[in-house]
């Protein structure tokens, strides 16, 4: 089965440090999403790309978060500097146009 | 009305029961909808797509009511393995790309 691969699986870091999360979408998928999930807020869309072009990053705090797709096989989400309130599970998902999306297993981030 | 709203549950049902979840949405332009399932500490997985009035897949039936702007998920003959959180998903602004997730309805099926 084709999978969306996310690294790292878990990350514990100190407040103020830079965090980079990576995602390898399924080959051939043209849409990539970054979501954040917390108990309180549920799944929140941070950013999404279509054909590597950013289409919407309005859900992302611009002062500290950035999302990029340097090529079709890699999407990155960076937080600098990280804060305790950023602690959450970050999911990447990919899909082809509108036919449902496949999620990666997520990066569990803890900022202490 | 919120963009996507679900009853958080939990729904506690015995094995073999029939259970239904509802989800309401605010954007009348939305054309397609999805139900995802999420197990504890796992990623969401696509369960069903709903493009017209409804969709059926084995024990699972999804129905769409555009006039009242809600979709439902019916699970018949529930199994222990159906225990999970069920997420309703709606495209924002009618766009196929930008998906908005409900906070989910938790189902617990007991022996």
């Amino acid at each position: 089965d084709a999978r969306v691969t996310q690294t790292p699986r878990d990350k514990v870091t100190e407040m103020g440090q830079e965090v980079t999360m990576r995602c390898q979408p399924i080959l051939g998928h043209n849409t990539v999403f970054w979501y954040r999930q917390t108990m309180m807020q549920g799944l929140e869309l941070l950013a999404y790309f279509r054909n590597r072009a950013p289409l919407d990053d309005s859900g992302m705090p611009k002062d500290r978060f950035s999302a990029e797709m340097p090529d079709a096989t890699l999407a990155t989400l960076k937080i600098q500097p990280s804060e305790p309130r950023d602690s959450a599970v970050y999911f990447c998902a990919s899909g082809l146009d509108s036919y449902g999306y496949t999620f990666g297993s997520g990066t569990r981030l803890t900022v202490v | 009305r919120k963009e996507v709203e679900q009853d958080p549950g939990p729904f506690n049902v015995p094995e073999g029961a029939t259970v239904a979840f509802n989800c309401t949405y605010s954007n009348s332009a939305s054309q397609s909808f999805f139900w995802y399932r999420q197990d504890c500490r796992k990623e969401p997985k696509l369960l069903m797509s709903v493009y017209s009035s409804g969709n059926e897949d084995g024990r699972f039936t999804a129905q769409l009511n555009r006039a009242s702007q809600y979709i439902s998920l019916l699970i018949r003959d529930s199994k222990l393995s159906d225990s999970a959180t069920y997420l309703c998903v709606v495209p924002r602004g009618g766009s196929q790309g930008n998906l908005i997730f409900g906070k989910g309805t938790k189902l617990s099926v007991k022996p």
Side-chain angles (χ1 to χ4, degrees), chain A residues 34-86:
Chain A
W34 282 105
Y35 282 90
R36 173 172 65 183
Q37 187 172 38
T38 61
M39 288 292 291
M40 292 298 294
Q41 299 298 327
L43 273 162
E44 300 174 282
L45 178 68
L46 296 174
Y48 86 100
F49 297 80
R50 177 156 288 167
N51 298 320
R52 293 179 57 202
L55 288 191
D56 186 351
D57 61 1
S58 59
M60 203 164 65
K62 303 286 191 309
D63 56 337
R64 299 184 300 108
F65 284 61
S66 60
E68 294 180 348
M69 274 202 79
D71 62 60
T73 65
L74 177 64
T76 62
L77 179 68
K78 191 173 294 187
I79 308 174
Q80 166 65 5
S82 56
E83 297 180 2
R85 60 181 166 147
D86 300 330

Side-chain angles (χ1 to χ4, degrees), chain A residues 9 31 33 35 37 40-43 45 48 50 56 58 91 97-105 108, chain B residues 32 34 36 38 40-46 49 51 85 87 89 92 95-103:
Chain A
R9 193 69 173 263
T31 309
F33 295 84
Y35 282 90
Q37 187 172 38
M40 292 298 294
Q41 299 298 327
L43 273 162
L45 178 68
Y48 86 100
R50 177 156 288 167
D56 186 351
S58 59
F91 287 107
D97 295 321
S98 62
Y99 299 103
Y101 299 107
T102 301
F103 280 74
S105 54
R108 187 172 298 274
Chain B
S32 58
F34 305 92
Y36 276 72
Q38 187 172 24
C40 187
R41 300 180 73 84
K42 297 286 190 179
E43 72 273 22
K45 293 185 179 178
L46 180 64
S49 307
Y51 294 107
T85 297
L87 304 167
V89 186
R92 169 178 281 162
S95 163
Q96 300 293 356
N98 188 346
L99 300 180
I100 305 303
F101 283 74
K103 292 190 177 179

Side-chain angles (χ1 to χ4, degrees), chain B residues 22-101:
Chain B
N22 281 339
C23 167
T24 58
Y25 61 93
S26 60
N27 184 4
S28 59
S30 297
Q31 295 296 310
S32 58
F33 307 85
F34 305 92
W35 283 100
Y36 276 72
R37 170 200 168 122
Q38 187 172 24
D39 293 283
C40 187
R41 300 180 73 84
K42 297 286 190 179
E43 72 273 22
K45 293 185 179 178
L46 180 64
L47 179 66
M48 295 184 77
S49 307
V50 188
Y51 294 107
S52 56
S53 60
N55 191 9
E56 186 171 325
D57 183 4
R59 298 183 294 108
F60 297 82
T61 301
Q63 290 189 314
L64 169 62
N65 184 318
R66 289 189 190 277
S68 301
Q69 293 182 215
Y70 77 82
I71 59 175
S72 62
L73 179 67
L74 181 78
I75 305 175
R76 288 180 296 277
D77 187 23
S78 51
K79 313 289 184 192
L80 295 177
S81 57
D82 294 334
S83 297
T85 297
Y86 291 84
L87 304 167
C88 171
V89 186
V90 177
R92 169 178 281 162
S95 163
Q96 300 293 356
N98 188 346
L99 300 180
I100 305 303
F101 283 74

